[in-house]
Amino acid sequence: MGVTKGLMALPEVALAMLQGGAKGLADSRLENLRRLKEGGLRTTRLLLRVPRLSRVTEVVELADLSLNSEVAVIKALDQVSQSRKRKHGVILMVDLGDLREGVWPDDLGSVLKEIKQLRWAQVVGLGANFACYGGVLPTPDKMERLLSLKKEAEKILDRPIPILSAGNSSSLSFLLRRQIPFGLTQLRVGEGILLGRESTRREPIPSTFQDAFVVVAEVIELKRKPSIPVGEIGLDAFGRTPQFEDRGLRKRAILAIGRQDVVPEGLLPLDRGVRILGASSDHMVIDVTDLNRSLAVGDELSFLPNYAALLAAVTSPYVSEVIVGEKEEGRRNQKVAASFTM
Ligand SMILES: *Cc1c(COP(=O)(O)O)cnc(C)c1O
């Protein structure tokens, strides 16, 4: 499943995921699933965040499948499904130690018995999540555990469970090393597709691009200033005590981008000789002393975002998205699917 939440389900990117071979699209937000539905992409839609009891009607309307962990919610989904005459597939999450969503394995049997009789919101899969809250890695023994829980669940339900949803981009390294055990049928991949990195060690995935998204910001001030603030030091705009290194007089630029637009710590300058010094809500201060090209007020600088920075940029109302075709992007002579400009 191609996970579209990193781009608020931007239709062009969702379509590219399907063209690239994803069997369906998944998102954590109902708003994004609606965007996919109204965009006319005909494919299976999966809701990633366990549904709110207060929103089950929309879940049935917008998603074919959802990840679940609460009996009350699954029963409510079943009622709505029945009244709408629209079946809904439940992927029951088991918590294999990451301590985010999921039924604890000891409780799987009793949960299944409670929902076994439901006809409209039926359990069609078992799933697990890794490396999200607890940073727990999807190791081979966790995968085997998932497989054995599936067998146990099939016995209790007395029917086969077609989907075994084995995690997110952090499980990709298994797939690439061909260590994924037979029987796991689904991965839910966002970062791996969008940024070309498996997410546990952030290593590039062979044959993918790491620069499909570029954050572009404009220089609004360019001056030589000392590298240490002058005066008594208190807390910065975000309540932290800032640290400084004395590097003498430096050429500094301010960019029109800040914490309302991105996660500054998640940006990697595309130019050598650019160092990010810090950022407040609307300003990012960078050191450009070592940049070996001329820079003027009004020029733009580009950065590669990590997943957190991409997510922040896409969801910020202050950032506009520009999709750049392969041909137009001659500058770096690399494939650029989309970029974000301030
Ligand atoms: C976001 C999310 C994913 C995708 O994670 P990536 O690391 O981007 O691949 C998968 N599963 C769930 C439940 C998610 O919330």
Side-chain angles (χ1 to χ4, degrees), residues 1-3 5 17 128-132 137-138 143 166-176 180 186-203 205 307:
M1 305 294 282
V3 173
K5 70 187 181 204
M17 285 180 171
N129 208 33
F130 299 101
C132 264
L137 295 175
M143 297 289 168
N168 50 30
S169 296
S170 66
S171 298
L172 273 177
S173 51
F174 278 99
L175 196 66
L176 297 170
I180 210 140
Q186 181 185 89
L187 292 181
R188 311 174 304 265
V189 181
E191 181 171 358
I193 296 174
L194 300 174
L195 297 180
R197 288 181 191 277
E198 69 79 42
S199 54
T200 56
R201 280 171 296 174
R202 300 261 141 38
E203 278 170 10
I205 297 170
Y307 196 61

Side-chain angles (χ1 to χ4, degrees), residues 204-242:
I205 297 170
S207 308
T208 65
F209 291 94
Q210 282 72 50
D211 60 353
F213 302 95
V214 181
V215 172
V216 181
E218 185 175 329
V219 177
I220 55 173
E221 184 187 295
L222 193 61
K223 294 188 192 309
R224 267 181 209 287
K225 291 186 186 179
S227 35
I228 296 205
V230 183
E232 253 178 76
I233 306 289
L235 299 179
D236 69 10
F238 285 83
R240 287 174 273 216
T241 310

Side-chain angles (χ1 to χ4, degrees), residues 88-228:
H88 186 78
V90 168
I91 297 179
L92 189 63
M93 296 298 276
V94 284
D95 188 338
L96 294 182
D98 196 53
L99 302 185
R100 208 179 69 181
E101 72 275 51
V103 172
W104 204 249
D106 298 345
D107 303 326
L108 182 62
S110 62
V111 167
L112 283 171
K113 277 173 198 148
E114 278 196 78
I115 54 179
K116 185 179 172 176
Q117 304 307 333
L118 304 183
R119 284 289 158 266
W120 289 87
Q122 270 192 345
V123 176
V124 294
L126 229 52
N129 208 33
F130 299 101
C132 264
Y133 173 75
V136 169
L137 295 175
T139 49
D141 61 308
K142 296 281 182 193
M143 297 289 168
E144 293 298 338
R145 182 92 171 99
L146 197 53
L147 274 169
S148 74
L149 286 171
K150 186 183 107 138
K151 279 186 200 131
E152 196 183 310
E154 285 177 332
K155 232 178 260 166
I156 293 167
L157 295 180
D158 198 23
R159 56 183 168 80
I161 296 177
I163 299 173
L164 201 47
S165 191
N168 50 30
S169 296
S170 66
S171 298
L172 273 177
S173 51
F174 278 99
L175 196 66
L176 297 170
R177 282 186 265 126
R178 299 186 187 282
Q179 283 178 349
I180 210 140
F182 185 77
L184 303 181
T185 64
Q186 181 185 89
L187 292 181
R188 311 174 304 265
V189 181
E191 181 171 358
I193 296 174
L194 300 174
L195 297 180
R197 288 181 191 277
E198 69 79 42
S199 54
T200 56
R201 280 171 296 174
R202 300 261 141 38
E203 278 170 10
I205 297 170
S207 308
T208 65
F209 291 94
Q210 282 72 50
D211 60 353
F213 302 95
V214 181
V215 172
V216 181
E218 185 175 329
V219 177
I220 55 173
E221 184 187 295
L222 193 61
K223 294 188 192 309
R224 267 181 209 287
K225 291 186 186 179
S227 35
I228 296 205

Side-chain angles (χ1 to χ4, degrees), residues 16 29 33 48 69 85 92 106 119 162 167 184 196 213 236 257 265 334 337:
R29 302 278 171 164
L33 290 177
L48 291 171
S69 64
K85 300 280 177 285
L92 189 63
D106 298 345
R119 284 289 158 266
L184 303 181
F213 302 95
D236 69 10
I257 187 172
E265 292 74 19
Q334 272 170 334

Side-chain angles (χ1 to χ4, degrees), residues 295-317:
L295 193 67
V297 166
D299 284 355
E300 290 175 339
L301 283 171
S302 300
F303 302 83
L304 297 182
N306 69 7
Y307 196 61
L310 177 66
L311 205 68
V314 173
T315 52
S316 168

